[in-house]
Amino acid sequence: MKAKFRHSALITLAVTLVAASLSVPASKKSELPEFTEDGLQLRPDSRLAIVYAEPGADLSGYKRVKLLDAYVAFKKNWERDQRSSSAQPLKLTAKDVERIRTDLAEGFHEVFSESLEQGGFPVVEDADADVLLVRPAIIDLDVNAPDTMTSGRNRSYVQSAGEMTLYLELYDSVTGDLIAKALDRKVDRQNTGFYTWASRATNRAAANRILKGWADILVNALTEAHASGANAEAAVEAEAQ
């Protein structure tokens, strides 16, 4: 495969897009550059905050998906802020941090795989002409009340579990050609006027709600591409008759 999927390059691109998305309101996408350095064009009417795609990109030929493991990165200074803002000393260990990363990466694969399979797009391991390669990352992860292994009887109550940002790249699995990349930030729903107990289970449920929304967007994009491709083929056949 031509493309080399290096996390360092992915994070550099993602951070650039995050900065752009935070500085430009959704109503002013036109202020973003129309083209990226790799020739992708801004899609102003996308369901995600920022989407760049290859001009004329067509996903209708992809019937299966190869899903790479999600890279997970916390918000800058997240660990330090957690320790300083806690009402009681928070014994957040390296194992706790790694467990949160692992849980989210596994949750990403489970949620996206299930949504893709249900949508009619099998998740496979091999590259092929009809296989779309999806390279994901979750960045700026901010968990408001992480459930540590040493929490004991202490409980944390929050109005929202936190927030995270999706950075996604789509490639042709055979050629390694970059087809599109997207970025979207989501905050867990706010419990107006009351607080709920935060635990590993509630944090996982909140993450899954956000992941499901993103997964559905990908499935819908593939479904619409297939429908559009089928209509185009029908129109060509009708003209030929």
Side-chain angles (χ1 to χ4, degrees):
M1 190 180 295
K2 294 179 181 179
K4 293 183 178 180
F5 306 111
R6 295 177 178 173
H7 289 318
S8 58
L10 179 146
I11 296 304
T12 298
L13 287 169
V15 169
T16 300
L17 284 176
V18 168
S21 68
L22 293 178
S23 61
V24 179
S27 60
K28 295 184 179 181
K29 280 190 180 181
S30 59
E31 295 183 13
L32 291 169
E34 184 178 359
F35 289 92
T36 64
E37 292 183 357
D38 40 19
L40 301 185
Q41 187 174 22
L42 179 67
R43 296 292 179 88
D45 299 322
S46 60
R47 298 184 181 96
L48 300 175
I50 300 177
V51 174
Y52 280 92
E54 183 181 21
D58 182 8
L59 298 179
S60 62
Y62 299 105
K63 300 178 181 179
R64 297 177 293 164
V65 174
K66 181 176 181 178
L67 191 61
L68 297 184
D69 292 337
Y71 179 83
V72 178
F74 285 93
K75 184 178 180 180
K76 184 178 180 181
N77 297 325
W78 176 79
E79 292 181 56
R80 183 200 66 189
D81 292 343
Q82 282 293 321
R83 292 189 178 95
S84 63
S85 63
S86 179
Q88 297 181 4
L90 181 63
K91 297 179 180 179
L92 188 67
T93 68
K95 287 185 177 180
D96 291 325
V97 174
E98 186 57 32
R99 176 177 54 80
I100 295 171
R101 284 198 183 100
T102 300
D103 280 355
L104 184 53
E106 291 176 350
F108 185 100
H109 198 277
E110 291 172 5
V111 171
F112 268 70
S113 294
E114 182 178 358
S115 294
L116 286 163
E117 295 278 357
Q118 291 179 348
F121 302 97
V123 175
V124 298
E125 294 295 329
D126 299 324
D128 208 339
D130 67 342
V131 174
L132 178 70
L133 189 147
V134 177
R135 180 195 189 202
I138 298 296
I139 58 176
D140 276 0
L141 175 62
D142 188 4
V143 183
N144 287 335
D147 187 16
T148 68
M149 300 300 289
T150 55
S151 294
R153 294 182 177 275
N154 293 331
R155 290 189 175 187
S156 298
Y157 293 86
V158 296
Q159 286 185 300
S160 169
E163 63 181 78
M164 57 185 171
T165 297
L166 171 70
Y167 179 69
L168 200 69
E169 293 180 344
L170 305 182
Y171 292 86
D172 182 281
S173 66
V174 174
T175 66
D177 292 336
L178 178 61
I179 300 170
K181 58 188 176 185
L183 181 138
D184 194 62
R185 172 177 172 266
K186 283 288 185 291
V187 179
D188 178 44
R189 62 191 183 190
Q190 299 285 331
N191 295 316
T192 305
F194 65 94
Y195 290 77
T196 57
W197 172 37
S199 66
R200 184 177 183 181
T202 60
N203 286 339
R204 181 68 176 263
N208 284 354
R209 284 194 296 269
I210 295 175
L211 294 172
K212 183 64 167 61
W214 284 330
D216 288 345
I217 290 174
L218 176 59
V219 172
N220 289 338
L222 289 168
T223 301
E224 291 171 5
H226 276 247
S228 178
N231 291 338
E233 290 180 4
V236 171
E237 291 178 358
E239 290 181 1
Q241 291 178 354

